[in-house]
């Protein structure tokens, strides 16, 4: 079993802590990239909303976590970053999943230009990278904050809004 350096607990115990809502109390948990599939399953299992806003610096692993979340939803599509298309659509067991990358947008008007508001009225999972411009449009969502640490661990904080 892999040990978490900060907490000195096993990876399995981290996932149990995530499930107990520790992340919702704004504490941070750490994981190794090889454990991302387990982290994704726990996030989905304990989520109370289908909208996830990802907060992290470039290159920290937002898209990698979204890929793991899609895998946990049993999506068999090839998953890629929607950096240039702004949105990718996936399907998994009858569920529609939209993955947005809003990095290239400069202001809120550009959200309306590509019809972003139309995606808000569907019963679908919404995974949104660089969500700052769109955040005011949501009433209920989870914020997933990821920080890459020097030792290669990622610190994850999940909060509900």
């Amino acid at each position: 079993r892999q040990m978490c350096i900060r907490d000195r607990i096993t990876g399995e115990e981290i996932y149990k802590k995530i499930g107990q809502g520790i992340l919702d109390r704004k504490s941070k948990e750490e994981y190794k990239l090889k454990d991302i599939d387990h982290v994704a399953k726990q996030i989905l299992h304990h989520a109370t909303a289908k909208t996830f806003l990802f907060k992290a610096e470039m290159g920290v692993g937002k898209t990698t976590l979204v890929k793991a979340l899609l895998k946990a939803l049993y999506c068999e599509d090839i998953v890629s970053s929607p950096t240039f298309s702004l949105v990718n659509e996936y399907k998994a067991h009858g569920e529609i999943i939209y993955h947005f990358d809003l990095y290239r947008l400069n202001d809120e008007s550009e959200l309306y230009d590509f019809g972003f508001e139309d995606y808000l009225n569907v019963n679908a999972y919404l995974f949104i990278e660089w969500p700052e411009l769109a955040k005011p449009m949501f009433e209920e969502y989870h914020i997933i904050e990821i920080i890459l640490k020097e030792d290669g661990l990622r610190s994850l904080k999940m909060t509900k809004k």
Side-chain angles (χ1 to χ4, degrees), residues 94-157:
E95 291 272 1
I96 297 174
I97 304 155
Y98 295 109
H99 177 198
F100 297 89
D101 185 332
L102 305 179
Y103 179 76
R104 295 184 313 116
L105 300 185
N106 296 310
D107 60 58
E108 192 176 311
S109 68
E110 293 181 84
L111 288 170
Y112 293 103
D113 288 346
F114 85 88
F116 183 79
E117 71 278 8
D118 294 336
Y119 295 97
L120 306 179
N121 300 316
V122 296
N123 183 23
Y125 280 95
L126 303 177
F127 298 125
I128 305 166
E129 298 183 41
W130 307 101
E132 292 76 15
L133 293 173
K135 193 174 177 180
M137 299 176 153
F138 298 105
E139 293 180 21
E140 186 177 4
Y141 55 89
H142 293 283
I143 295 174
I144 306 288
E145 183 178 0
I146 309 166
I147 298 170
L148 179 61
K149 303 183 70 153
E150 288 183 21
D151 57 7
L153 290 175
R154 278 147 175 88
S155 173
L156 183 135
K157 178 172 71 169

